[in-house]
Amino acid sequence: MQKLSNANQDYLEMIYMLTEGGEEYVRPTDIARNMNVSKASVNQAIRALKELGLVRNERYGPVSLTEKGKFSARRIHFLHHLVKSFLMETLNIREEIAETEACQIEHLIGNETVKSMVNYLKNRNIELEHFDLNQVDEFLVYSRRLSELKVGDRAVVKRIEAADGNVKRRIMEMGVIKGDIIEVKGMAPMG
Amino acid sequence: MQKLSNANQDYLEMIYMLTEGGEEYVRPTDIARNMNVSKASVNQAIRALKELGLVRNERYGPVSLTEKGKFSARRIHFLHHLVKSFLMETLNIREEIAETEACQIEHLIGNETVKSMVNYLKNRNIELEHFDLNQVDEFLVYSRRLSELKVGDRAVVKRIEAADGNVKRRIMEMGVIKGDIIEVKGMAPMG
DNA sequence: GATTAATGTTTAGATAGACTAACAAAGAAA
DNA sequence: TTTCTTTGTTAGTCTATCTAAACATTAATC
């Protein structure tokens, strides 16, 4: 199974930011310019993101995010803002510096730290741009069993295990693989 | 000019920690075990650190820190403790997690953030293990001209520039290169 | 001292990430 | 259209890390 590397998370986030302002598509060249890397590097990243099902892109065409990609990007973007605000709030750090350091820290903080930061800001009634701190639960990575999910919940598949081999096969036949984001649409009788 | 990479900083810090408890030397195998990497990787790192003048090591022999290496390692170790304490203090994060995350954050925070963290802890009268927060200035990276340094100060050479080409040549003849740590022993007449 | 175990070194190879340079396709301007 | 410019792609390199496996050396044990 492929994994979304930190570097590729940055590419994804950049695509998200560039498409935020109305435009549906970005061109690789814009990504390159904004990230200060070569077109070749962008090309490579796009290929990886495409394989992960996070972006859409055809030869010589522009790039756009899939639903999965949008969610993933929003999550990264949220972490970015969270860390940035936290740094500025606790340490009174200048925005540019907070920005730069958040860019890196966003990739390495775990769930617990994220939750603590959210609470820290909530308790002080500090708002986050673009995000409602009361609705960021979807970005937290919990490890739960499928049966613990409620209808409407979304989750990233980490492992497929089932008491019954047939169940596992059936799930895999649906094309569900590790790393996928799934959403619970409803409950079948007998779970 | 070579540079001390993040990975190699970790090796250096580990050597420091292993030699802290009395022992003067460490064996590569111990480093490998403690860092969960192969002996080959350790070997490579040692070579790099040796080239940078940070460790001493002879074929088939153990590893020890040079003065320069000790200083550098202590600086990294300080950043580690600082970040760890800051995380635990502000976010109430469990020690193991703070430990893990500090390990990574220590490499990417800049001078301003470090200073803010020091002040944050100082203002709350929080102590740092192994370090006196009132005496950590030597670990902060300032950019000063040689003439601004006082006797006893230590600094890392970032650039050698001199109004007089002869002066530059003389400094370089002393073997001073970028990245070196220098200490001001005294002032010659005429600066 | 000879044999075995533990350590250290080397080589070759993998992967991630970035770059340059040459080339191909699309778009814009003439 | 034809030509020029901008974009996108590919191939080949490079550096940093890491690894496994074979080999060399040193230390420990009998």
Side-chain angles (χ1 to χ4, degrees):
Chain A
M1 241 316 282
Q2 266 224 66
K3 218 193 116 234
L4 182 55
S5 71
N6 287 353
N8 286 344
Q9 283 182 31
D10 287 336
Y11 285 102
L12 190 67
E13 192 181 1
M14 180 54 75
I15 295 169
Y16 178 76
M17 290 192 290
L18 293 176
T19 51
E20 262 293 70
E23 284 296 324
E24 177 75 9
Y25 298 107
V26 219
R27 282 167 317 159
T29 300
D30 295 325
I31 302 173
R33 255 199 294 272
N34 278 282
M35 297 186 68
N36 240 307
V37 296
S38 69
K39 292 181 293 169
S41 303
V42 174
N43 209 279
Q44 207 166 19
I46 289 174
R47 203 173 313 141
L49 293 175
K50 193 176 168 186
E51 262 177 41
L52 287 164
L54 301 170
V55 305
R56 263 182 299 267
N57 169 250
E58 286 175 34
R59 222 151 179 284
Y60 291 104
V63 184
S64 66
L65 294 173
T66 62
E67 273 313 301
K68 187 170 158 184
K70 250 178 223 161
F71 180 80
S72 200
R74 252 182 79 76
R75 182 173 168 277
I76 297 162
H77 205 51
F78 158 66
L79 292 176
H80 180 95
H81 279 295
L82 180 68
V83 173
K84 182 176 156 190
S85 293
F86 174 73
L87 286 178
M88 289 175 68
E89 200 52 46
T90 51
L91 295 172
N92 273 308
I93 293 182
R94 274 188 292 143
E95 181 161 4
E96 314 100 77
I97 296 187
E99 179 71 38
T100 313
E101 298 186 354
C103 251
Q104 307 192 255
I105 296 177
E106 73 190 51
H107 297 300
L108 52 85
I109 55 173
N111 210 32
E112 203 164 315
T113 305
V114 173
K115 275 192 269 185
S116 300
M117 284 188 184
V118 170
N119 288 331
Y120 183 95
L121 296 180
K122 261 194 199 166
N123 290 338
R124 285 167 182 69
N125 288 313
I126 295 156
E127 309 253 313
L128 213 56
E129 304 172 63
H130 311 301
F131 296 94
D132 177 348
L133 284 176
N134 292 306
Q135 292 174 25
V136 293
D137 258 30
E138 61 175 334
F139 298 131
L140 296 178
V141 184
Y142 293 106
S143 201
R144 285 167 298 179
R145 309 191 139 262
L146 184 53
S147 55
E148 295 172 62
L149 295 174
K150 292 189 295 274
V151 174
D153 280 356
R154 284 206 279 192
V156 176
V157 177
K158 289 174 76 175
R159 199 172 41 234
I160 300 175
E161 53 181 33
D164 182 350
N166 282 323
V167 174
K168 181 167 179 175
R169 190 158 350 104
R170 240 171 40 233
I171 290 175
M172 295 187 72
E173 276 165 3
M174 290 195 250
V176 175
I177 54 169
K178 263 201 287 188
D180 266 357
I181 292 168
I182 57 170
E183 183 176 340
V184 180
K185 294 292 189 182
M187 298 286 186
M190 305 304 291
Chain B
M1 240 315 284
Q2 266 224 64
K3 217 194 116 236
L4 181 54
S5 71
N6 286 354
N8 287 343
Q9 284 181 30
D10 287 334
Y11 284 102
L12 190 67
E13 191 181 1
M14 180 53 77
I15 295 169
Y16 178 77
M17 289 192 291
L18 293 176
T19 51
E20 262 292 72
E23 284 297 323
E24 177 75 8
Y25 298 106
V26 221
R27 281 166 318 158
T29 299
D30 295 326
I31 301 173
R33 255 200 294 273
N34 277 282
M35 297 187 67
N36 241 307
V37 294
S38 69
K39 291 181 292 170
S41 304
V42 173
N43 210 280
Q44 204 166 20
I46 290 173
R47 202 173 313 141
L49 293 175
K50 193 177 169 185
E51 261 176 41
L52 288 164
L54 300 170
V55 305
R56 265 182 297 266
N57 169 250
E58 286 176 32
R59 222 149 178 285
Y60 292 105
V63 183
S64 65
L65 294 172
T66 61
E67 273 312 301
K68 187 170 157 185
K70 251 179 224 161
F71 179 81
S72 201
R74 251 181 81 75
R75 182 172 168 279
I76 297 161
H77 205 50
F78 158 67
L79 292 176
H80 180 95
H81 278 296
L82 180 67
V83 172
K84 181 176 155 188
S85 293
F86 174 72
L87 287 178
M88 289 175 67
E89 200 52 46
T90 50
L91 295 173
N92 274 308
I93 293 183
R94 274 188 291 143
E95 180 161 6
E96 314 100 76
I97 296 187
E99 179 71 39
T100 313
E101 299 186 353
C103 251
Q104 307 193 253
I105 297 176
E106 73 190 51
H107 297 300
L108 51 86
I109 53 174
N111 210 32
E112 202 164 315
T113 305
V114 172
K115 275 193 266 185
S116 299
M117 284 189 186
V118 170
N119 288 332
Y120 183 95
L121 296 180
K122 260 194 199 167
N123 290 338
R124 285 166 182 70
N125 288 312
I126 296 156
E127 310 251 312
L128 214 57
E129 305 171 61
H130 311 301
F131 295 95
D132 178 348
L133 284 176
N134 292 305
Q135 291 174 25
V136 293
D137 258 29
E138 61 176 331
F139 298 131
L140 297 178
V141 184
Y142 294 107
S143 202
R144 285 167 298 179
R145 308 190 141 264
L146 185 53
S147 56
E148 296 172 60
L149 295 175
K150 294 190 296 274
V151 175
D153 280 355
R154 285 205 280 190
V156 175
V157 177
K158 288 174 76 174
R159 198 171 43 232
I160 299 174
E161 54 182 31
D164 182 350
N166 282 323
V167 173
K168 181 166 179 175
R169 189 158 350 104
R170 242 171 40 233
I171 289 175
M172 296 188 71
E173 276 165 2
M174 290 194 250
V176 176
I177 53 170
K178 261 200 291 188
D180 265 358
I181 292 168
I182 58 169
E183 183 175 341
V184 180
K185 294 294 191 182
M187 298 288 187
M190 305 304 291

